[in-house]
Amino acid sequence: MPNNYVKIFDTTLRDGEQSPGATMTSAEKLELAHHLARLGVDIIEAGFPAASPDDLEAVRRIAVEVGQPAVGADKEARVPVIAGLARANKPDIDKAWEAVKEAQKPRIHTFLATSEIHMKHKLKMDPEDVVQRVSEMVTYARTLCADVEFSPEDAGRSDPEFLYVVLGEAIKAGATTLNIPDTVGYTTPDEFYKLIAGIIKHTPGMHDGITISVHCHDDLGLATANALAGIQAGARQAEVTVNGIGERAGNTSLEEVVMTLKTRKPVFNLETGIETTQISRISKIVSNYTGIVVQPNKAIVGSNAFAHEAGIHQDGMLKHQTTYEIMRPEDVGVNQSKLVLGKHSGRHALRSRLAEMGHSLDEVELDKAFARFKELADRKKTVTDLDLEALIADEFYRPRDVYLLSGMQVSCGTMGMPTATVRLRGPDGVIHTVAAIGTGPVDATYKAIDSIVNVPCTLLEFNIHAITAGIDALGEVTVRIQSDNGKSTMDAQSEVEYLRVYGGHGADTDIIVASAKAYINALNKLIIAQTEGTEKVQNDFGVMLG
Ligand code: KIV
Ligand code: ZN
């Protein structure tokens, strides 16, 4: 790699997925990994295989299906490295290797905390034991895999002199990438710059073959600034997530780092391999899959990021785009949905548009997509890429249908009690029809669904928005729910068990139907987690699931 190239290490599927509500199904993870590869990320951290057999299998499938060149692909086609995370112990490292070994370019990423706070209170280990464990575990990982990354967790609060020792041992043991995490988002850009510069200068055995990486969290809103400061100090890998999702306040956001390096090229003189016109689309996909809505004023991908409201700004923009825009919206794929399909567009037009958007469907899937498209085109004059993306997410990237909406009828208004009649096909194929009254049409609908599905849960968040302008727009709903009696899996950095939050997404021109779909979607994820054992719970039928 030339020294002006910054590798983009995407951890949306690992650190991002760890954030509350970001739980994705295996099918969603695989699909997202394909999109990340198309986006041009250099490394995909596909998950934490030791978390559960399910996580291991999801990483393995990504290694096989995304980490290998596609059949008939050009020899020069870029294939991303597939990384699996492991704590610094043999069973974790074995599982990470098991999961990634079939990739063309596998990587084991192992970590151990090095700050005094973590060593004393969490690990209950002496610093000397930490040094020894790092040396042993990196050595062990290298017996399995040629590409090993080591992270001293909580490096941002670690003693730099101690870090030099630990990192020196990691190099001696064969680590090829040293990732420096500001795990709790504590440092300032100036401090982080000095930390990275000090590591490059003082770590024993440092050489050109070692990549220094930055991994920052956003607790003080400084993740992007810190990551860029680290890059200026010499780091050549940035660990990021799409939309900046991740633990607590999130991780450094991919789009912010990439677009800063691109927009301020004269300042950094650095490059990435990211196809920036894909950014807007992948942001949407991550939001749909996770149910985590992007705040409107989010840099680069927020719905207001390129909107100009104030008269003086609009006047400036009309005179010259550069007056108030430092990037062109089309550079991140905004406003590219100009191609419009209508009710006279045929199957072929739909197939080729979807292929251009990165969705290659088989005949059966295309039939379904075409039926949905026709249905939408009958109700809406024009169908844009954004509409298609929502339809595809709604039709194909939802979890397995444990329950499926097969019909509904709602009456509401000022004259009576809002009532919803909902018909669902259950896991046994039986059709259940229930009517319920609520405070409004959505409440009535959710009550009817609850009484069929019978999985006690709390609705934590409900968001609705129109995908495009116009009264005939497709409505998109995202919800987040949490089981009332669930017990979930451990997180990646400890043995602690915690309750997962499940997101659901639905799109329809009828917003009550979209609301029902989003809720059923989230419930299906919860039920699948319970049945597959990632969330153990006794349901109301007295059956022990998982
Ligand atoms: O934030 C962190 O320290 C991490 C490590 C596992 C790299 O996510
Ligand atoms: Zn992290």
Side-chain angles (χ1 to χ4, degrees):
M1 283 291 168
N3 198 33
N4 70 342
Y5 186 85
V6 178
K7 292 182 226 170
I8 298 298
F9 175 116
D10 182 275
T11 184
T12 309
L13 289 165
R14 200 278 299 169
D15 225 351
E17 212 242 351
Q18 244 168 264
S19 63
T23 316
M24 288 179 247
T25 63
S26 308
E28 286 170 338
K29 287 182 192 172
L30 182 62
E31 190 56 33
L32 181 55
H34 278 296
H35 287 291
L36 289 168
R38 268 171 59 90
L39 178 69
V41 308
D42 301 276
I43 302 111
I44 297 175
E45 185 163 54
F48 174 46
S52 71
D54 228 46
D55 284 66
L56 192 152
E57 181 52 21
V59 177
R60 202 192 62 78
R61 277 192 68 193
I62 291 171
V64 172
E65 294 187 31
V66 184
Q68 292 277 1
V71 185
D74 176 344
K75 272 210 183 101
E76 301 299 306
R78 283 179 60 195
V79 175
V81 172
I82 306 296
L85 183 71
R87 286 165 298 186
N89 64 56
K90 282 190 179 175
D92 267 34
I93 292 173
D94 287 341
K95 286 191 182 109
W97 176 237
E98 178 63 31
V100 299
K101 69 181 181 201
E102 288 174 78
Q104 187 182 63
K105 296 187 242 165
R107 174 179 295 186
I108 295 175
H109 175 194
T110 187
F111 70 99
L112 190 65
T114 49
S115 66
E116 215 175 302
I117 302 176
H118 278 229
M119 288 189 291
K120 189 167 163 199
H121 301 294
K122 188 182 86 167
L123 299 176
K124 302 195 190 323
M125 284 172 83
D126 291 330
E128 304 73 50
D129 298 334
V130 166
V131 175
Q132 194 182 339
R133 174 85 72 86
V134 170
S135 166
E136 284 170 7
M137 289 306 119
V138 173
T139 304
Y140 180 64
R142 272 304 304 262
T143 63
L144 304 170
C145 184
D147 183 350
V148 173
E149 169 169 333
F150 171 70
S151 296
E153 191 191 3
D154 204 17
R157 291 189 300 170
S158 301
D159 172 6
E161 298 293 333
F162 180 58
L163 274 181
Y164 306 153
V165 175
V166 175
L167 294 172
E169 286 303 314
I171 293 177
K172 225 195 282 170
T176 38
T177 301
L178 300 177
N179 175 48
I180 312 303
D182 180 21
T183 304
V184 291
Y186 182 70
T187 61
T188 64
D190 182 48
E191 286 167 348
F192 204 61
Y193 179 97
K194 287 185 185 135
L195 183 66
I196 300 296
I199 286 168
I200 292 173
K201 190 158 172 209
H202 300 297
T203 300
M206 183 63 70
H207 59 85
D208 286 350
I210 300 287
T211 301
I212 298 295
S213 166
V214 286
H215 176 117
C216 300
H217 281 265
D218 207 29
D219 299 65
L220 293 171
L222 294 173
T224 299
N226 284 339
L228 290 167
I231 288 169
Q232 279 183 310
R236 288 295 175 267
Q237 173 176 292
E239 301 204 352
V240 293
T241 60
V242 175
N243 298 340
I245 63 169
E247 288 280 9
R248 305 179 310 278
N251 285 61
T252 308
S253 94
L254 179 149
E255 58 279 5
E256 292 174 15
V257 168
V258 167
M259 290 313 290
T260 303
L261 295 180
K262 184 178 165 104
T263 308
R264 304 305 308 277
K265 182 100 200 257
V267 173
F268 292 92
N269 195 22
L270 293 170
E271 286 184 358
T272 71
I274 298 298
E275 175 49 57
T276 62
T277 55
Q278 301 275 329
I279 283 177
S280 169
R281 213 161 63 78
I282 200 153
S283 158
K284 197 87 199 81
I285 291 169
V286 168
S287 174
N288 284 348
Y289 287 180
T290 58
I292 299 178
V293 178
V294 177
Q295 76 196 54
N297 60 326
K298 164 82 179 65
I300 323 290
V301 291
S303 53
N304 285 353
F306 294 95
H308 302 274
E309 182 73 23
I312 192 163
H313 287 209
Q314 288 181 351
D315 178 56
M317 283 293 291
L318 289 173
K319 288 179 174 142
H320 204 281
Q321 195 183 13
T322 55
T323 51
Y324 286 101
E325 255 174 23
I326 58 167
M327 300 165 267
R328 291 178 315 155
E330 45 281 26
D331 287 346
V332 294
V334 171
N335 293 348
Q336 291 220 314
S337 45
K338 289 282 185 279
L339 177 117
V340 172
L341 298 173
K343 70 179 190 186
H344 300 298
S345 309
R347 259 173 81 89
H348 182 68
L350 180 68
R351 185 206 294 271
S352 46
R353 187 62 204 142
L354 287 174
E356 278 164 30
M357 291 165 63
H359 303 288
S360 39
L361 307 185
D362 63 28
E363 289 306 317
V364 179
E365 289 169 337
L366 187 66
D367 281 346
K368 282 191 194 161
F370 191 59
R372 287 290 304 267
F373 160 71
K374 279 286 175 194
E375 202 189 320
L376 179 62
D378 272 343
R379 291 194 242 161
K380 194 172 181 290
K381 259 200 241 126
T382 52
V383 179
T384 67
D385 286 359
L386 291 175
D387 294 321
L388 288 181
E389 208 66 78
L391 279 192
I392 292 294
D394 196 55
E395 189 64 43
F396 301 113
Y397 305 144
R398 57 174 195 252
R400 183 157 44 80
D401 290 320
V402 186
Y403 286 91
L404 179 70
L405 181 68
S406 81
M408 62 182 290
Q409 180 72 50
V410 175
S411 72
C412 62
T414 54
M415 307 287 287
M417 302 292 278
T419 309
T421 308
V422 174
R423 193 183 310 132
L424 301 185
R425 186 172 53 68
D428 41 12
V430 175
I431 299 287
H432 307 259
T433 309
V434 163
I437 292 172
T439 53
V442 175
D443 186 48
T445 302
Y446 283 19
K447 286 204 168 103
I449 294 171
D450 280 342
S451 64
I452 297 173
V453 173
N454 218 355
V455 172
C457 68
T458 302
L459 180 67
L460 302 176
E461 216 175 287
F462 175 91
N463 288 290
I464 185 159
H465 83 279
I467 288 179
T468 48
I471 196 74
D472 59 355
L474 205 53
E476 191 173 40
V477 173
T478 49
V479 299
R480 278 144 63 84
I481 63 167
Q482 194 168 48
S483 162
D484 287 344
N485 59 359
K487 185 167 176 279
S488 192
T489 184
M490 65 184 178
D491 74 14
Q493 290 162 52
S494 68
E495 303 282 340
V496 176
E497 297 201 318
Y498 68 104
L499 258 187
R500 289 205 144 193
V501 175
Y502 298 86
H505 165 263
D508 202 281
T509 44
D510 182 322
I511 55 175
I512 309 299
V513 175
S515 307
K517 285 180 175 173
Y519 191 48
I520 295 166
N521 206 289
L523 281 168
N524 283 341
K525 278 191 193 173
L526 172 55
I527 295 167
I528 291 168
Q530 290 176 346
T531 350
E532 287 176 355
T534 17
E535 177 146 325
K536 292 189 170 47
V537 64
Q538 184 148 5
N539 74 5
D540 281 3
F541 310 111
V543 180
M544 196 61 181
L545 300 163

